[in-house]
Amino acid sequence: QKNVDGDFAFAHVQYINREAAFTNRGGCVATGHHLPQWANDSPLRFFHAADRFERANGERYKEIVFSLPQELTVEQNREIIDRFLEKHLKGHYYAWAIHEKVGTLSSGERQPHVHIMFSTREIDAQERQQERTPEKFFQRANKKHPERGGCAKAEKWVGKKRKDYLLHIREDFAKIQNAVLEKYGVPVRVDRQVDQGVARQR
């Protein structure tokens, strides 16, 4: 159930949501998720199931971390996140959290950013029609008989061209930010060449 670095998915979701042992760290100003009904609106329950039912040494989640414009409010930055999720993660189960703390080396400036954790398993027609059990969802997919296996992992996240897709979403995230900045009359723009985001996998 452990990854090579010993990080459990359920522990990481506690970290991004500042729960349990991470409560005192603070700085979590907003959270959200898209989960199956069996998770009962609990990212912890969903990612604990990933730890339990994904194959040994299998990838249980990916995480994307994006910086957010400090010129926008939390609610305005949520518009950026919602647009990104709708375009790139609509077919996945995920949880996100906005962190905002004043950096010790930032001369008092805010440093808002978002953590997005998601399963690379893509919601298929069978899952939309009738949700699988947690154990079934994280099983190997069965192409001939989808109802007998889990949801397949999306090629864009795990395939040979995943690096190209990461570059695409990086560029797209900059465009989304700039559109929202323009909407609220903020006279700054984001350059996709700036190191504003990073993707990790577990």
Side-chain angles (χ1 to χ4, degrees), residues 75-101:
E75 287 302 316
Q76 290 168 344
N77 272 322
R78 285 188 63 172
E79 290 188 35
I80 294 173
I81 296 166
D82 288 343
R83 292 190 191 189
F84 177 82
L85 294 172
E86 175 68 20
K87 188 167 183 179
H88 295 285
L89 285 169
K90 187 176 182 179
H92 296 268
Y93 294 129
Y94 57 76
W96 59 265
I98 297 176
H99 291 182
E100 183 176 311
K101 296 182 73 174

Side-chain angles (χ1 to χ4, degrees), residues 170 174 177-178 189-196:
R170 182 185 175 93
Q177 288 184 89
N178 287 334
R189 295 294 180 266
V190 174
D191 186 341
R192 69 179 179 87
Q193 299 297 333
V194 178
D195 186 16
Q196 58 170 315

Side-chain angles (χ1 to χ4, degrees), residues 109-126:
E109 292 183 345
R110 296 162 51 223
Q111 294 183 331
H113 57 278
V114 61
H115 294 257
I116 305 171
M117 282 182 68
F118 62 98
S119 170
T120 56
R121 294 185 179 275
E122 194 164 18
I123 300 169
D124 58 16
Q126 177 68 30

Side-chain angles (χ1 to χ4, degrees), residues 2 20 33 36 52 56-58 62 65-67 71 77 87 100 107 111 132 134 170 172 174-175 179 185 194:
K2 279 190 176 183
H33 57 259
R52 183 178 179 187
N57 298 320
K62 276 196 188 315
V65 183
F66 277 125
S67 296
E71 295 84 0
N77 272 322
K87 188 167 183 179
E100 183 176 311
S107 301
Q111 294 183 331
R132 296 167 171 84
R170 182 185 175 93
D172 201 42
K175 290 179 180 177
V194 178

